[in-house]
Amino acid sequence: MIFRGEGLFGPWGQADGKAQGDAMHYQIVHAFGAGVYCVFIALFLLAARIPRTPPGANWFAAAIGCALVGRLAVLYLAPLGERALASPVYGSFLILEKVLLVIGFVRFFDLGHRTRLVRLVSLAAIIAELWMLWSDNQLALPLIKSTSYALFNVFALGSLCWMILRDDLDCPPLMRRCMATAAIALMLHWACGGLVGSLYAPWLRYGFLLGTALVALLYMSLLTAILALFHRRLIQAEEKALKMAFKDPLTGLYNKHFMNNLFDQALLLATRPHHLVAVYYIDLDNFKPVNDQAGHAVGDKVLMCVAQRLKEAVRSTDICARLGGDEFTVIATQLERQDQAPEIAKKLLAKLAAPIEVGQQPLSQPRARPVATPGAGRCRHVSRQAPGQERI
């Protein structure tokens, strides 16, 4: 079969130099596009191998792989004089590309409610593929001038635009705008390209280059969305690591490591005029029998209850920490008077003296003692006014 007119590769059926120049132009665009697609495929496959990556990355790689095969078919068949065969092959792989792109988008962003839309796009792809086989030598060239083929691309890209604009996507707003811009521009390219080309013939050449650039922009925005996901996970992992480094995993209070770093800073604050700091060390009596008799699970609940009561008893400027086992500490900052320290100690003792119930059964109450010191009762507070002046 021999087609005369303009195809994916420019005018053919003519032996003049302009036809050869146009054909060379399209081959260069296909070769450049194929190279860019290879890079995208490698990056998507590499991203898919990273643990916990959404499954859509593999579908994106498969979609752009279809576009790559279509371009390679053009580069291989055109020099052999099989241009009439190259156009349907190229179009068929582009149809499959759009289906895989939509499926990958739904799976990557976990849009399970869009399953029906995926089925409609798949059904439209089957109809378009059958039409490609049936039309044979009636196929309009270039493909952008084919009304039925262009309608499928408009429908598939329109479905993608609908999901980008309407659904709640887990990606930065900038990436979402880039995806929407590329998809809408590509949809308009397929919707208006044939009409514009019939009115302005050079558009068939420049529009093909524009379409290649828009496809690259669309996949670049999808790849950037994946990278943004990795960046967000990296930040979350760093925050979690910092939290685990300074927080007690059982009670949620600060741990001993944090208190060691904070204690010197608290003492420095105490050197300021009219700024006192009190440190309370709290140890639970009779906790070991409870832990041994009722089990470690009950003992953990007791510790969590004690931690919660400490949080409720202190002010927003105070700091609570678990040093380990049944030992806790509280740093009271921004005290204006020395007599505030024993008042806070009494408040802590009163809060911790209430019975603790686990499983609707009251336990033998472990007694809290914020440090027993000779002659000072059950509580000791340390306040500091200036270097070298301590009160116990």
Side-chain angles (χ1 to χ4, degrees):
M1 294 179 293
I2 299 178
F3 290 86
R4 296 188 178 274
E6 292 187 352
L8 289 170
F9 332 98
W12 60 70
Q14 305 174 20
D16 56 8
K18 183 178 182 300
Q20 294 179 0
D22 288 343
M24 181 63 68
H25 165 78
Y26 282 93
Q27 290 182 8
I28 292 175
V29 174
H30 278 299
F32 177 77
V36 173
Y37 289 175
C38 286
V39 175
F40 278 126
I41 292 173
L43 293 176
F44 280 123
L45 291 178
L46 181 61
R49 294 179 60 87
I50 298 177
R52 296 172 51 232
T53 300
N58 283 322
W59 290 91
F60 293 149
I64 202 167
C66 290
L68 173 63
V69 172
R71 289 186 179 274
L72 292 178
V74 170
L75 293 175
Y76 176 74
L77 295 175
L80 299 179
E82 298 291 342
R83 295 185 176 91
L85 177 62
S87 290
V89 171
Y90 178 70
S92 297
F93 277 105
L94 286 190
I95 290 174
L96 183 58
E97 177 220 354
K98 298 302 187 299
V99 176
L100 296 177
L101 175 62
V102 172
I103 295 176
F105 188 87
V106 170
R107 299 202 62 183
F108 180 79
F109 292 105
D110 195 19
L111 305 178
H113 60 286
R114 295 300 185 187
T115 304
R116 183 177 180 182
L117 183 60
V118 173
R119 292 175 180 173
L120 289 177
V121 173
S122 301
L123 178 60
I126 294 175
I127 295 175
E129 292 282 7
L130 293 176
W131 169 82
M132 293 278 287
L133 295 176
W134 172 80
S135 61
D136 198 11
N137 58 352
Q138 285 85 31
L139 183 64
L141 297 173
L143 292 178
I144 198 170
K145 295 170 61 178
S146 174
T147 303
S148 301
Y149 181 79
L151 283 177
F152 167 76
N153 282 275
V154 171
F155 174 68
L157 292 169
S159 301
L160 187 63
C161 294
W162 176 263
M163 291 186 290
I164 294 174
L165 297 176
R166 299 286 296 179
D167 291 325
D168 185 16
L169 305 182
D170 185 18
C171 69
L174 178 60
M175 295 303 99
R176 185 170 183 168
R177 287 193 291 267
C178 289
M179 284 188 288
T181 301
I184 293 174
L186 200 56
M187 179 182 66
L188 294 177
H189 168 72
W190 280 104
C192 306
L195 177 62
V196 175
S198 62
L199 299 176
Y200 180 64
W203 172 256
L204 297 176
R205 176 178 179 179
Y206 301 125
F208 179 69
L209 181 60
L210 175 63
T212 301
L214 291 176
V215 171
L217 177 61
L218 178 60
Y219 281 103
M220 176 62 74
S221 61
L222 292 172
L223 181 61
T224 307
I226 296 177
L227 297 178
L229 174 64
F230 294 158
H231 180 259
R232 185 169 62 254
R233 286 181 178 176
L234 181 61
I235 294 177
Q236 293 174 351
E238 183 180 7
E239 293 176 351
K240 184 177 180 181
L242 291 175
K243 183 178 180 180
M244 293 177 63
F246 295 111
K247 287 293 188 73
D248 177 57
L250 177 63
T251 62
L253 300 178
Y254 290 108
N255 56 19
K256 184 177 181 180
H257 178 63
F258 179 83
M259 294 302 296
N260 290 338
N261 295 333
L262 184 66
F263 188 73
D264 291 338
Q265 299 179 17
L267 292 181
L268 288 177
L269 291 176
T271 62
R272 298 179 179 179
H274 308 292
H275 192 116
L276 305 178
V277 173
V279 180
Y280 303 88
Y281 174 81
I282 302 171
D283 179 71
L284 300 180
D285 289 339
N286 302 326
F287 176 73
K288 189 175 185 303
V290 173
N291 203 32
D292 294 341
Q293 296 172 11
H296 292 285
V298 174
D300 290 344
K301 292 183 179 179
V302 171
L303 293 175
M304 288 189 289
C305 181
V306 170
Q308 182 61 32
R309 292 183 180 184
L310 288 177
K311 293 178 183 178
E312 296 173 355
V314 300
R315 304 166 303 168
S316 60
T317 57
D318 300 336
I319 301 171
C320 302
R322 181 190 176 200
L323 302 181
D326 59 352
E327 299 175 345
F328 298 84
T329 186
V330 174
I331 297 181
T333 62
Q334 299 183 11
L335 301 180
E336 298 179 355
R337 306 183 312 275
Q338 293 186 12
D339 57 357
Q340 287 182 282
E343 294 176 1
I344 295 176
K346 293 177 181 179
K347 185 178 180 181
L348 292 173
L349 286 174
K351 194 71 175 179
L352 297 175
I356 298 177
E357 292 187 3
V358 178
Q360 299 181 350
Q361 293 183 356
L363 300 176
S364 177
Q365 174 62 23
R367 293 181 301 169
R369 52 184 181 91
V371 180
T373 58
R378 305 295 292 175
C379 174
R380 180 178 70 178
H381 67 274
V382 179
S383 61
R384 184 165 182 172
Q385 303 180 44
Q389 298 181 357
E390 294 187 0
R391 179 181 178 86
I392 299 180

